[in-house]
Amino acid sequence: MENGASDRRSQSSSAKGYERMKTNFINTSLKVRANHIAFLYENLDKTIKEVKHELLQISPNDKETYIIYKNKIYDLLNVWLKDETWSRQARPGEDTL
């Protein structure tokens, strides 16, 4: 009888250890994903600023390129803003993909 109780305690201890490791893994994975999102955001911000700068630099000498890409960027941003994902009312877990 005592051996069975010891086995149950050992299994319970192993299950708790497994759950702790699982929780730590999930939390670490979420942190990695959050850091990746921050990295992508910083690159996006940098890229948008760079494109704006380049457009302003080329505009006096190449109006056609300026207009084409200014409009493409405007259209792209406009599409993104209409996407529910970017709505300020969107809530985690309720967002649509």
Side-chain angles (χ1 to χ4, degrees), residues 2-61:
E2 194 173 303
N3 197 16
S6 177
D7 286 346
R8 282 193 296 275
R9 278 193 299 266
S10 178
Q11 287 174 348
S12 176
S13 179
S14 293
K16 287 178 185 177
Y18 171 78
E19 287 301 319
R20 216 174 11 257
M21 285 187 343
K22 181 178 167 186
T23 299
N24 287 341
F25 176 77
I26 290 169
N27 290 337
T28 301
S29 295
L30 291 173
K31 287 178 185 177
V32 168
R33 292 179 82 183
N35 286 338
H36 184 66
I37 290 168
F39 172 77
L40 293 173
Y41 167 77
E42 289 171 10
N43 282 329
L44 179 61
D45 183 56
K46 181 181 174 184
T47 299
I48 289 172
K49 288 175 181 174
E50 188 176 342
V51 169
K52 179 182 175 185
H53 174 76
E54 292 298 327
L55 281 173
L56 292 173
Q57 294 296 311
I58 201 171
S59 65
N61 301 317

Side-chain angles (χ1 to χ4, degrees), residues 57-86:
Q57 294 296 311
I58 201 171
S59 65
N61 301 317
D62 190 348
K63 294 269 188 222
E64 183 179 353
T65 298
Y66 171 80
I67 291 169
I68 289 170
Y69 283 94
K70 177 190 69 78
N71 290 338
K72 284 182 178 227
I73 291 167
Y74 178 86
D75 292 342
L76 180 64
L77 293 173
N78 201 25
V79 167
W80 285 353
L81 288 173
K82 290 178 183 176
D83 186 319
E84 285 293 317
T85 302
W86 308 115

